[in-house]
């Protein structure tokens, strides 16, 4: 059974958020493809929601503004807050034990999305999802032990990032890798980036991915960065803690297992820093960091998605965020990340047809 979703934030944000929502509520509900029922639970005891008849299904989700996590929560908010070092990002947490999809709930209710305070730094975390979403409507397997979250942000019109929105997926995937590798002792884990939006262990094992949904207005762009990374569950491929265990055996080390709370906090710390860096300096400064972890520089692959395709050499990413490859005649070809992908096992760039 799906569980209620809670919002934990400061009193200032709570008041501003509820006041803004009150302008669009109809009988306490934010209308949308996924209806969001709003309840101010700030004066209620934690866990009291179990005594109230709440309608919860894929198209109707109750969201409770609360001061304290329920006693049955498996997410350790104290540990997360201990390691969170951001100014805004992650300072407002939406949380559910089991939901359909964090990405879908936010993207399918524009009236709710548009009322999120600009300085909220809202991140929606779920321990499990029944309908996790990947690129091009692919399903993302979301068992317990896989960290899955969606971060909301507003990109002001005229900013460096607003004209380079494609970089958001690169920034988010790099934030996960840098977040883990930035932890003392974990610097040498072999975490890599696969174009355009996957997180890998070594050259062939996927452990996570990123999805970005955007909508634009006269003021700028509203973006939802969705991310899933397997932290503690060895299925269906491997997880971060399997990688840590293998590293300990190989190097006679004693690195501790990672928690979802620590990985989320470390990722958000890096994500906010990378976003600020990009807004200040633009794509070129970011790409130096990105290339350190990606898998593809100088690789020869076949363009077109067939074994008989044309051999091309990967150059890098241009300042518009598109992949550049060089043909045998030295002509440069640009490949957009939207709809195209690598088949790592067969060395192919698969060009999706409309």
């Amino acid at each position: 059974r799906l569980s209620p979703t809670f919002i934990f934030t400061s009193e200032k944000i709570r008041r501003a958020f509820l006041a803004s929502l009150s302008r669009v509520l109809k009988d306490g509900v934010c209308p949308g493809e996924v209806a969001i029922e709003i309840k101010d639970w700030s004066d209620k005891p934690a866990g009291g929601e179990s005594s109230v008849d709440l309608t919860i299904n894929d198209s109707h989700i109750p969201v409770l503004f609360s001061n304290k996590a329920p006693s049955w929560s498996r997410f350790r908010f104290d540990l997360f807050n201990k390691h969170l070092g951001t100014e805004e990002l992650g300072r407002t947490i939406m949380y559910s034990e089991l939901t359909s999809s964090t990405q879908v709930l936010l993207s399918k209710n524009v009236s709710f999305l548009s009322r999120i305070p600009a300085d909220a730094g809202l991140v929606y975390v779920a321990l499990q999802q029944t309908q996790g979403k990947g690129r091009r409507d692919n399903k993302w397997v979301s068992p317990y032990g896989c960290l899955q979250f969606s971060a909301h942000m507003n990109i002001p019109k005229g900013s460096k990032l607003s004209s380079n929105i494609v970089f958001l997926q690169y920034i988010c995937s790099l934030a996960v890798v840098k977040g883990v590798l930035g932890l003392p002792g974990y610097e040498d884990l072999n975490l890599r980036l696969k174009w355009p939006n996957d997180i890998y262990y070594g050259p062939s094992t996927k452990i996570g991915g990123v999805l970005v949904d955007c909508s634009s207005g006269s003021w700028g762009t509203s973006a939802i960065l969705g991310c899933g990374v397997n932290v503690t569950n060895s299925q269906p491929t491997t997880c971060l803690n399997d990688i840590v265990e293998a590293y300990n055996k190989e190097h006679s080390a004693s690195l501790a297992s990672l928690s979802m709370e620590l990985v989320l906090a470390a990722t958000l710390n890096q994500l906010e820093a990378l976003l600020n860096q990009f807004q200040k300096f633009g794509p070129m400064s970011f790409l130096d960091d990105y290339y350190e972890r990606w898998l593809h520089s100088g690789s020869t692959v076949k363009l077109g998605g067939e074994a008989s395709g044309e051999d091309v050499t990967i150059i890098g990413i241009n300042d518009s965020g598109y992949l550049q490859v060089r043909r045998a005649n030295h002509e440069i070809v640009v490949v957009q990340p939207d709809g195209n992908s690598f088949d790592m096992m067969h060395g192919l760039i698969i060009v999706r047809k409309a």
Side-chain angles (χ1 to χ4, degrees), residues 40-82:
D40 185 0
W41 214 252
S42 56
D43 60 345
K44 304 290 193 303
E49 73 287 341
S50 60
S51 63
V52 178
D53 185 19
L54 297 173
T55 299
I56 310 175
N57 54 54
D58 289 342
S59 60
H60 185 105
I61 302 293
V63 172
L64 315 179
F65 282 76
S66 182
N67 289 330
K68 188 176 181 180
S71 57
W72 43 259
S73 170
R74 290 181 289 173
F75 188 86
R76 293 169 292 177
F77 287 91
D78 55 345
L79 180 60
F80 168 71
N81 289 323
K82 175 183 176 181

Side-chain angles (χ1 to χ4, degrees), residues 6-292:
F6 293 84
I7 291 183
F8 307 106
T9 189
S10 67
E11 180 65 14
K12 174 188 172 184
I13 296 295
R14 184 186 71 84
R15 289 181 180 274
F17 205 164
L18 287 171
S20 183
L21 285 168
S22 68
R23 302 186 184 101
V24 297
L25 294 182
K26 297 180 180 179
D27 297 322
V29 175
C30 250
E33 289 185 50
V34 178
I36 299 178
E37 182 180 0
I38 301 298
K39 290 184 177 293
D40 185 0
W41 214 252
S42 56
D43 60 345
K44 304 290 193 303
E49 73 287 341
S50 60
S51 63
V52 178
D53 185 19
L54 297 173
T55 299
I56 310 175
N57 54 54
D58 289 342
S59 60
H60 185 105
I61 302 293
V63 172
L64 315 179
F65 282 76
S66 182
N67 289 330
K68 188 176 181 180
S71 57
W72 43 259
S73 170
R74 290 181 289 173
F75 188 86
R76 293 169 292 177
F77 287 91
D78 55 345
L79 180 60
F80 168 71
N81 289 323
K82 175 183 176 181
H83 292 285
L84 187 67
T86 61
E87 290 293 324
E88 290 184 1
L89 195 58
R91 296 298 173 178
T92 298
I93 290 290
M94 288 181 67
Y95 171 74
S96 181
E97 294 268 315
L98 176 63
T99 193
S100 55
S101 165
T102 60
Q103 195 77 1
V104 168
L105 189 145
L106 290 179
S107 63
K108 296 299 185 182
N109 195 304
V110 176
S111 58
F112 179 84
L113 196 66
S114 65
R115 297 295 166 173
I116 299 174
D119 56 347
L122 186 142
V123 176
Y124 187 7
V125 184
L127 293 192
Q128 290 179 266
Q129 298 180 123
T130 60
Q131 300 176 35
K133 184 181 177 185
R135 281 179 87 228
R136 298 182 59 85
D137 294 325
N138 292 325
K139 300 298 182 184
W140 174 259
V141 179
S142 306
Y144 181 72
C146 178
L147 171 65
Q148 45 247 337
F149 68 90
S150 296
H152 171 261
M153 58 195 62
N154 292 318
I155 312 298
K157 186 176 182 179
S159 66
K160 288 183 172 63
L161 196 50
S162 70
S163 56
N164 292 281
I165 288 296
V166 68
F167 277 92
L168 280 175
Q169 60 190 317
Y170 307 149
I171 292 171
C172 189
S173 56
L174 179 60
V176 176
V177 171
K178 290 193 70 170
V180 174
L181 299 184
L183 299 171
Y186 297 81
E187 300 90 346
D188 295 326
L189 297 184
N190 191 18
L191 300 184
R192 298 290 175 179
L193 299 168
K194 171 181 158 299
W195 182 86
N197 61 349
D198 289 331
I199 301 158
Y200 266 57
Y201 169 49
S204 59
T205 305
K206 180 176 177 177
I207 62 168
V210 170
L211 171 70
V212 179
D213 289 317
C214 293
S215 57
S216 298
S218 59
W219 52 269
T221 301
S222 175
I224 308 168
L225 279 63
C227 179
V229 58
N230 204 350
V231 178
T232 69
N233 192 321
S234 297
Q235 300 298 323
T237 55
T238 192
C239 65
L240 283 173
N241 282 340
D242 289 339
I243 297 167
V244 171
E245 182 179 355
Y247 180 89
N248 283 340
K249 289 180 179 178
E250 182 179 353
H251 298 278
S252 299
S254 56
L255 296 178
S257 295
L258 297 168
S259 67
M260 288 187 287
E261 296 87 351
L262 175 57
V263 173
L264 177 60
T267 296
L268 296 180
N269 292 342
Q270 289 291 337
L271 181 54
E272 185 174 86
L274 288 169
L275 288 167
N276 289 339
Q277 172 190 323
F278 195 101
Q279 290 287 45
K280 188 174 182 179
F281 299 109
M284 290 300 102
S285 64
F286 163 77
L287 285 173
D288 290 339
D289 272 350
Y290 187 78
Y291 288 143
E292 284 187 16

